[in-house]
Amino acid sequence: MQPAAAKWYDRRDSVFLEFCVEDSKDVKINFYKSKFDFCCVSGTDSIKQQNTVDLFGEIDPKGSKHRRTDRSVLCCLQKAVAGKSWPRLTKDKSKCNWLSVDFNNWKDWEDDSDEDLSSFDKFSEMMNTMGGNDIPDLDGAEEEHDTADSDNEKMPDLE
């Protein structure tokens, strides 16, 4: 038995944890107030994977759920106390080699309002879909461009 690799991220009401297991079978997840157990058989080699996580904060076991796909198992852990950020997933401060932060979904929401987050989402979407080197003027202010900008000069060859 080995632990399944996983990524996690924090939101106001929930913590999301995605176990990266392909072709999972016999998925068993038990949610408790301060921990949860994950177990499955994955891949063509039928590798048994198991994780037991003592959580940083408490969750609502009845409000927590999971969804299995061909490539992963996504768990939504509903926080017992909404609006309190979790600096880490586990109660223990030591690093788990099977666990990483899902930076694609991470948002630092603790100091932001919902309006700020929607602006952040729009900005992220724009940056992801934008091509080339042209950066749009986001605040409507115009800047004077200096033609003698040092960034436009040729770099000297390395010796």
PDB file of all heavy atoms in Angstrom, residues 59-87:
ATOM      1  N   ILE A  59     -14.118  19.852   9.834  1.00  0.00           N
ATOM      2  CA  ILE A  59     -15.026  19.875   8.693  1.00  0.00           C
ATOM      3  C   ILE A  59     -16.390  19.352   9.110  1.00  0.00           C
ATOM      4  O   ILE A  59     -16.540  18.763  10.179  1.00  0.00           O
ATOM      5  CB  ILE A  59     -14.479  19.030   7.516  1.00  0.00           C
ATOM      6  CG1 ILE A  59     -14.332  17.551   7.914  1.00  0.00           C
ATOM      7  CG2 ILE A  59     -13.163  19.596   7.007  1.00  0.00           C
ATOM      8  CD1 ILE A  59     -14.014  16.610   6.763  1.00  0.00           C
ATOM      9  N   ASP A  60     -17.357  19.557   8.246  1.00  0.00           N
ATOM     10  CA  ASP A  60     -18.691  18.995   8.422  1.00  0.00           C
ATOM     11  C   ASP A  60     -18.733  17.704   7.609  1.00  0.00           C
ATOM     12  O   ASP A  60     -18.803  17.748   6.383  1.00  0.00           O
ATOM     13  CB  ASP A  60     -19.748  19.981   7.915  1.00  0.00           C
ATOM     14  CG  ASP A  60     -21.152  19.413   7.964  1.00  0.00           C
ATOM     15  OD1 ASP A  60     -21.355  18.332   8.568  1.00  0.00           O
ATOM     16  OD2 ASP A  60     -22.063  20.047   7.393  1.00  0.00           O
ATOM     17  N   PRO A  61     -18.668  16.546   8.265  1.00  0.00           N
ATOM     18  CA  PRO A  61     -18.618  15.281   7.522  1.00  0.00           C
ATOM     19  C   PRO A  61     -19.837  15.069   6.614  1.00  0.00           C
ATOM     20  O   PRO A  61     -19.702  14.525   5.519  1.00  0.00           O
ATOM     21  CB  PRO A  61     -18.571  14.208   8.612  1.00  0.00           C
ATOM     22  CG  PRO A  61     -18.078  14.912   9.828  1.00  0.00           C
ATOM     23  CD  PRO A  61     -18.561  16.326   9.705  1.00  0.00           C
ATOM     24  N   LYS A  62     -21.016  15.522   7.053  1.00  0.00           N
ATOM     25  CA  LYS A  62     -22.226  15.320   6.254  1.00  0.00           C
ATOM     26  C   LYS A  62     -22.261  16.244   5.039  1.00  0.00           C
ATOM     27  O   LYS A  62     -22.848  15.907   4.021  1.00  0.00           O
ATOM     28  CB  LYS A  62     -23.464  15.511   7.111  1.00  0.00           C
ATOM     29  CG  LYS A  62     -23.591  14.427   8.151  1.00  0.00           C
ATOM     30  CD  LYS A  62     -24.826  14.563   8.985  1.00  0.00           C
ATOM     31  CE  LYS A  62     -24.823  13.401   9.974  1.00  0.00           C
ATOM     32  NZ  LYS A  62     -25.834  13.420  10.931  1.00  0.00           N
ATOM     33  N   GLY A  63     -21.635  17.416   5.128  1.00  0.00           N
ATOM     34  CA  GLY A  63     -21.613  18.360   4.019  1.00  0.00           C
ATOM     35  C   GLY A  63     -20.463  18.126   3.058  1.00  0.00           C
ATOM     36  O   GLY A  63     -20.412  18.710   1.979  1.00  0.00           O
ATOM     37  N   SER A  64     -19.518  17.263   3.427  1.00  0.00           N
ATOM     38  CA  SER A  64     -18.366  16.966   2.575  1.00  0.00           C
ATOM     39  C   SER A  64     -18.728  15.863   1.597  1.00  0.00           C
ATOM     40  O   SER A  64     -19.519  14.979   1.901  1.00  0.00           O
ATOM     41  CB  SER A  64     -17.173  16.542   3.434  1.00  0.00           C
ATOM     42  OG  SER A  64     -16.827  17.577   4.322  1.00  0.00           O
ATOM     43  N   LYS A  65     -18.137  15.939   0.392  1.00  0.00           N
ATOM     44  CA  LYS A  65     -18.462  14.952  -0.641  1.00  0.00           C
ATOM     45  C   LYS A  65     -17.267  14.737  -1.554  1.00  0.00           C
ATOM     46  O   LYS A  65     -16.265  15.446  -1.469  1.00  0.00           O
ATOM     47  CB  LYS A  65     -19.678  15.398  -1.427  1.00  0.00           C
ATOM     48  CG  LYS A  65     -19.604  16.801  -1.949  1.00  0.00           C
ATOM     49  CD  LYS A  65     -20.940  17.278  -2.448  1.00  0.00           C
ATOM     50  CE  LYS A  65     -20.885  18.777  -2.659  1.00  0.00           C
ATOM     51  NZ  LYS A  65     -21.933  19.510  -2.083  1.00  0.00           N
ATOM     52  N   HIS A  66     -17.387  13.749  -2.430  1.00  0.00           N
ATOM     53  CA  HIS A  66     -16.320  13.475  -3.392  1.00  0.00           C
ATOM     54  C   HIS A  66     -16.921  13.086  -4.737  1.00  0.00           C
ATOM     55  O   HIS A  66     -18.090  12.707  -4.827  1.00  0.00           O
ATOM     56  CB  HIS A  66     -15.380  12.378  -2.881  1.00  0.00           C
ATOM     57  CG  HIS A  66     -15.977  11.009  -2.915  1.00  0.00           C
ATOM     58  ND1 HIS A  66     -16.845  10.550  -1.953  1.00  0.00           N
ATOM     59  CD2 HIS A  66     -15.838  10.007  -3.811  1.00  0.00           C
ATOM     60  CE1 HIS A  66     -17.198   9.310  -2.250  1.00  0.00           C
ATOM     61  NE2 HIS A  66     -16.602   8.950  -3.373  1.00  0.00           N
ATOM     62  N   ARG A  67     -16.083  13.217  -5.768  1.00  0.00           N
ATOM     63  CA  ARG A  67     -16.497  12.842  -7.118  1.00  0.00           C
ATOM     64  C   ARG A  67     -15.322  12.145  -7.808  1.00  0.00           C
ATOM     65  O   ARG A  67     -14.201  12.620  -7.789  1.00  0.00           O
ATOM     66  CB  ARG A  67     -16.894  14.083  -7.910  1.00  0.00           C
ATOM     67  CG  ARG A  67     -17.448  13.754  -9.294  1.00  0.00           C
ATOM     68  CD  ARG A  67     -17.695  14.990 -10.073  1.00  0.00           C
ATOM     69  NE  ARG A  67     -16.381  15.625 -10.266  1.00  0.00           N
ATOM     70  CZ  ARG A  67     -16.166  16.726 -10.918  1.00  0.00           C
ATOM     71  NH1 ARG A  67     -17.158  17.396 -11.436  1.00  0.00           N
ATOM     72  NH2 ARG A  67     -14.958  17.216 -11.063  1.00  0.00           N
ATOM     73  N   ARG A  68     -15.579  11.029  -8.399  1.00  0.00           N
ATOM     74  CA  ARG A  68     -14.556  10.252  -9.087  1.00  0.00           C
ATOM     75  C   ARG A  68     -14.629  10.482 -10.583  1.00  0.00           C
ATOM     76  O   ARG A  68     -15.709  10.525 -11.160  1.00  0.00           O
ATOM     77  CB  ARG A  68     -14.769   8.766  -8.790  1.00  0.00           C
ATOM     78  CG  ARG A  68     -13.746   7.846  -9.422  1.00  0.00           C
ATOM     79  CD  ARG A  68     -14.215   6.433  -9.363  1.00  0.00           C
ATOM     80  NE  ARG A  68     -14.131   5.528 -10.441  1.00  0.00           N
ATOM     81  CZ  ARG A  68     -13.969   5.725 -11.741  1.00  0.00           C
ATOM     82  NH1 ARG A  68     -13.863   6.896 -12.224  1.00  0.00           N
ATOM     83  NH2 ARG A  68     -13.910   4.751 -12.592  1.00  0.00           N
ATOM     84  N   THR A  69     -13.460  10.664 -11.218  1.00  0.00           N
ATOM     85  CA  THR A  69     -13.355  10.717 -12.676  1.00  0.00           C
ATOM     86  C   THR A  69     -12.336   9.655 -13.093  1.00  0.00           C
ATOM     87  O   THR A  69     -11.753   8.977 -12.238  1.00  0.00           O
ATOM     88  CB  THR A  69     -12.894  12.104 -13.172  1.00  0.00           C
ATOM     89  OG1 THR A  69     -11.546  12.334 -12.746  1.00  0.00           O
ATOM     90  CG2 THR A  69     -13.786  13.214 -12.646  1.00  0.00           C
ATOM     91  N   ASP A  70     -12.113   9.528 -14.387  1.00  0.00           N
ATOM     92  CA  ASP A  70     -11.127   8.553 -14.863  1.00  0.00           C
ATOM     93  C   ASP A  70      -9.701   8.912 -14.453  1.00  0.00           C
ATOM     94  O   ASP A  70      -8.844   8.048 -14.382  1.00  0.00           O
ATOM     95  CB  ASP A  70     -11.193   8.429 -16.388  1.00  0.00           C
ATOM     96  CG  ASP A  70     -12.472   7.749 -16.849  1.00  0.00           C
ATOM     97  OD1 ASP A  70     -13.101   7.041 -16.032  1.00  0.00           O
ATOM     98  OD2 ASP A  70     -12.829   7.922 -18.027  1.00  0.00           O
ATOM     99  N   ARG A  71      -9.456  10.189 -14.186  1.00  0.00           N
ATOM    100  CA  ARG A  71      -8.087  10.637 -13.905  1.00  0.00           C
ATOM    101  C   ARG A  71      -7.829  10.993 -12.444  1.00  0.00           C
ATOM    102  O   ARG A  71      -6.675  11.099 -12.038  1.00  0.00           O
ATOM    103  CB  ARG A  71      -7.753  11.831 -14.780  1.00  0.00           C
ATOM    104  CG  ARG A  71      -7.837  11.505 -16.250  1.00  0.00           C
ATOM    105  CD  ARG A  71      -7.442  12.662 -17.108  1.00  0.00           C
ATOM    106  NE  ARG A  71      -6.089  13.104 -16.851  1.00  0.00           N
ATOM    107  CZ  ARG A  71      -5.017  12.674 -17.517  1.00  0.00           C
ATOM    108  NH1 ARG A  71      -5.164  11.791 -18.468  1.00  0.00           N
ATOM    109  NH2 ARG A  71      -3.824  13.138 -17.227  1.00  0.00           N
ATOM    110  N   SER A  72      -8.892  11.214 -11.662  1.00  0.00           N
ATOM    111  CA  SER A  72      -8.676  11.633 -10.276  1.00  0.00           C
ATOM    112  C   SER A  72      -9.935  11.445  -9.438  1.00  0.00           C
ATOM    113  O   SER A  72     -10.997  11.117  -9.955  1.00  0.00           O
ATOM    114  CB  SER A  72      -8.246  13.102 -10.226  1.00  0.00           C
ATOM    115  OG  SER A  72      -9.284  13.930 -10.668  1.00  0.00           O
ATOM    116  N   VAL A  73      -9.771  11.697  -8.147  1.00  0.00           N
ATOM    117  CA  VAL A  73     -10.899  11.733  -7.214  1.00  0.00           C
ATOM    118  C   VAL A  73     -10.821  13.089  -6.518  1.00  0.00           C
ATOM    119  O   VAL A  73      -9.832  13.393  -5.841  1.00  0.00           O
ATOM    120  CB  VAL A  73     -10.831  10.587  -6.184  1.00  0.00           C
ATOM    121  CG1 VAL A  73     -11.973  10.704  -5.187  1.00  0.00           C
ATOM    122  CG2 VAL A  73     -10.853   9.232  -6.869  1.00  0.00           C
ATOM    123  N   LEU A  74     -11.855  13.917  -6.713  1.00  0.00           N
ATOM    124  CA  LEU A  74     -11.894  15.258  -6.134  1.00  0.00           C
ATOM    125  C   LEU A  74     -12.773  15.238  -4.887  1.00  0.00           C
ATOM    126  O   LEU A  74     -13.919  14.804  -4.933  1.00  0.00           O
ATOM    127  CB  LEU A  74     -12.445  16.261  -7.145  1.00  0.00           C
ATOM    128  CG  LEU A  74     -12.541  17.703  -6.663  1.00  0.00           C
ATOM    129  CD1 LEU A  74     -11.161  18.266  -6.361  1.00  0.00           C
ATOM    130  CD2 LEU A  74     -13.240  18.563  -7.691  1.00  0.00           C
ATOM    131  N   CYS A  75     -12.208  15.707  -3.783  1.00  0.00           N
ATOM    132  CA  CYS A  75     -12.943  15.776  -2.515  1.00  0.00           C
ATOM    133  C   CYS A  75     -13.194  17.231  -2.157  1.00  0.00           C
ATOM    134  O   CYS A  75     -12.299  18.064  -2.245  1.00  0.00           O
ATOM    135  CB  CYS A  75     -12.136  15.138  -1.396  1.00  0.00           C
ATOM    136  SG  CYS A  75     -11.773  13.401  -1.641  1.00  0.00           S
ATOM    137  N   CYS A  76     -14.419  17.514  -1.748  1.00  0.00           N
ATOM    138  CA  CYS A  76     -14.798  18.834  -1.273  1.00  0.00           C
ATOM    139  C   CYS A  76     -15.097  18.694   0.216  1.00  0.00           C
ATOM    140  O   CYS A  76     -16.085  18.081   0.602  1.00  0.00           O
ATOM    141  CB  CYS A  76     -16.025  19.345  -2.031  1.00  0.00           C
ATOM    142  SG  CYS A  76     -16.638  20.912  -1.406  1.00  0.00           S
ATOM    143  N   LEU A  77     -14.216  19.255   1.031  1.00  0.00           N
ATOM    144  CA  LEU A  77     -14.360  19.185   2.486  1.00  0.00           C
ATOM    145  C   LEU A  77     -14.999  20.479   2.960  1.00  0.00           C
ATOM    146  O   LEU A  77     -14.388  21.544   2.878  1.00  0.00           O
ATOM    147  CB  LEU A  77     -12.996  19.007   3.155  1.00  0.00           C
ATOM    148  CG  LEU A  77     -12.087  17.910   2.595  1.00  0.00           C
ATOM    149  CD1 LEU A  77     -10.726  17.964   3.261  1.00  0.00           C
ATOM    150  CD2 LEU A  77     -12.724  16.559   2.762  1.00  0.00           C
ATOM    151  N   GLN A  78     -16.223  20.399   3.426  1.00  0.00           N
ATOM    152  CA  GLN A  78     -16.921  21.596   3.886  1.00  0.00           C
ATOM    153  C   GLN A  78     -16.414  21.969   5.278  1.00  0.00           C
ATOM    154  O   GLN A  78     -16.447  21.159   6.202  1.00  0.00           O
ATOM    155  CB  GLN A  78     -18.430  21.371   3.923  1.00  0.00           C
ATOM    156  CG  GLN A  78     -19.182  22.629   4.269  1.00  0.00           C
ATOM    157  CD  GLN A  78     -20.687  22.446   4.145  1.00  0.00           C
ATOM    158  OE1 GLN A  78     -21.169  21.434   3.663  1.00  0.00           O
ATOM    159  NE2 GLN A  78     -21.406  23.435   4.599  1.00  0.00           N
ATOM    160  N   LYS A  79     -15.921  23.201   5.397  1.00  0.00           N
ATOM    161  CA  LYS A  79     -15.373  23.659   6.664  1.00  0.00           C
ATOM    162  C   LYS A  79     -16.471  23.777   7.721  1.00  0.00           C
ATOM    163  O   LYS A  79     -17.581  24.205   7.421  1.00  0.00           O
ATOM    164  CB  LYS A  79     -14.719  25.030   6.498  1.00  0.00           C
ATOM    165  CG  LYS A  79     -13.471  25.033   5.645  1.00  0.00           C
ATOM    166  CD  LYS A  79     -12.933  26.444   5.536  1.00  0.00           C
ATOM    167  CE  LYS A  79     -11.687  26.512   4.715  1.00  0.00           C
ATOM    168  NZ  LYS A  79     -11.193  27.893   4.574  1.00  0.00           N
ATOM    169  N   ALA A  80     -16.136  23.428   8.950  1.00  0.00           N
ATOM    170  CA  ALA A  80     -17.070  23.603  10.061  1.00  0.00           C
ATOM    171  C   ALA A  80     -17.222  25.089  10.369  1.00  0.00           C
ATOM    172  O   ALA A  80     -18.300  25.540  10.744  1.00  0.00           O
ATOM    173  CB  ALA A  80     -16.583  22.842  11.285  1.00  0.00           C
ATOM    174  N   VAL A  81     -16.138  25.862  10.202  1.00  0.00           N
ATOM    175  CA  VAL A  81     -16.155  27.306  10.418  1.00  0.00           C
ATOM    176  C   VAL A  81     -15.776  27.974   9.101  1.00  0.00           C
ATOM    177  O   VAL A  81     -14.608  27.986   8.708  1.00  0.00           O
ATOM    178  CB  VAL A  81     -15.157  27.722  11.528  1.00  0.00           C
ATOM    179  CG1 VAL A  81     -15.164  29.232  11.707  1.00  0.00           C
ATOM    180  CG2 VAL A  81     -15.479  27.022  12.832  1.00  0.00           C
ATOM    181  N   ALA A  82     -16.781  28.510   8.402  1.00  0.00           N
ATOM    182  CA  ALA A  82     -16.538  29.167   7.112  1.00  0.00           C
ATOM    183  C   ALA A  82     -15.825  30.497   7.328  1.00  0.00           C
ATOM    184  O   ALA A  82     -16.000  31.151   8.356  1.00  0.00           O
ATOM    185  CB  ALA A  82     -17.854  29.387   6.380  1.00  0.00           C
ATOM    186  N   GLY A  83     -15.022  30.889   6.364  1.00  0.00           N
ATOM    187  CA  GLY A  83     -14.351  32.179   6.421  1.00  0.00           C
ATOM    188  C   GLY A  83     -13.021  32.166   7.140  1.00  0.00           C
ATOM    189  O   GLY A  83     -12.365  33.189   7.253  1.00  0.00           O
ATOM    190  N   LYS A  84     -12.603  31.032   7.638  1.00  0.00           N
ATOM    191  CA  LYS A  84     -11.304  30.931   8.311  1.00  0.00           C
ATOM    192  C   LYS A  84     -10.351  30.186   7.378  1.00  0.00           C
ATOM    193  O   LYS A  84     -10.615  29.057   6.980  1.00  0.00           O
ATOM    194  CB  LYS A  84     -11.448  30.184   9.630  1.00  0.00           C
ATOM    195  CG  LYS A  84     -10.168  30.130  10.412  1.00  0.00           C
ATOM    196  CD  LYS A  84     -10.355  29.450  11.755  1.00  0.00           C
ATOM    197  CE  LYS A  84      -9.015  29.388  12.471  1.00  0.00           C
ATOM    198  NZ  LYS A  84      -9.061  28.575  13.660  1.00  0.00           N
ATOM    199  N   SER A  85      -9.241  30.846   7.023  1.00  0.00           N
ATOM    200  CA  SER A  85      -8.313  30.222   6.083  1.00  0.00           C
ATOM    201  C   SER A  85      -7.507  29.110   6.743  1.00  0.00           C
ATOM    202  O   SER A  85      -7.271  29.132   7.952  1.00  0.00           O
ATOM    203  CB  SER A  85      -7.370  31.266   5.484  1.00  0.00           C
ATOM    204  OG  SER A  85      -6.490  31.736   6.475  1.00  0.00           O
ATOM    205  N   TRP A  86      -7.106  28.153   5.930  1.00  0.00           N
ATOM    206  CA  TRP A  86      -6.248  27.069   6.374  1.00  0.00           C
ATOM    207  C   TRP A  86      -4.870  27.299   5.753  1.00  0.00           C
ATOM    208  O   TRP A  86      -4.731  27.244   4.533  1.00  0.00           O
ATOM    209  CB  TRP A  86      -6.790  25.720   5.925  1.00  0.00           C
ATOM    210  CG  TRP A  86      -8.019  25.253   6.626  1.00  0.00           C
ATOM    211  CD1 TRP A  86      -8.907  25.988   7.349  1.00  0.00           C
ATOM    212  CD2 TRP A  86      -8.507  23.914   6.652  1.00  0.00           C
ATOM    213  NE1 TRP A  86      -9.916  25.196   7.817  1.00  0.00           N
ATOM    214  CE2 TRP A  86      -9.695  23.906   7.403  1.00  0.00           C
ATOM    215  CE3 TRP A  86      -8.065  22.722   6.106  1.00  0.00           C
ATOM    216  CZ2 TRP A  86     -10.433  22.754   7.622  1.00  0.00           C
ATOM    217  CZ3 TRP A  86      -8.804  21.568   6.326  1.00  0.00           C
ATOM    218  CH2 TRP A  86      -9.972  21.584   7.085  1.00  0.00           C
ATOM    219  N   PRO A  87      -3.839  27.537   6.542  1.00  0.00           N
ATOM    220  CA  PRO A  87      -2.504  27.727   5.975  1.00  0.00           C
ATOM    221  C   PRO A  87      -1.901  26.429   5.435  1.00  0.00           C
ATOM    222  O   PRO A  87      -0.971  26.451   4.653  1.00  0.00           O
ATOM    223  CB  PRO A  87      -1.690  28.263   7.147  1.00  0.00           C
ATOM    224  CG  PRO A  87      -2.412  27.778   8.363  1.00  0.00           C
ATOM    225  CD  PRO A  87      -3.859  27.697   7.988  1.00  0.00           C
TER     226      PRO A  87
END
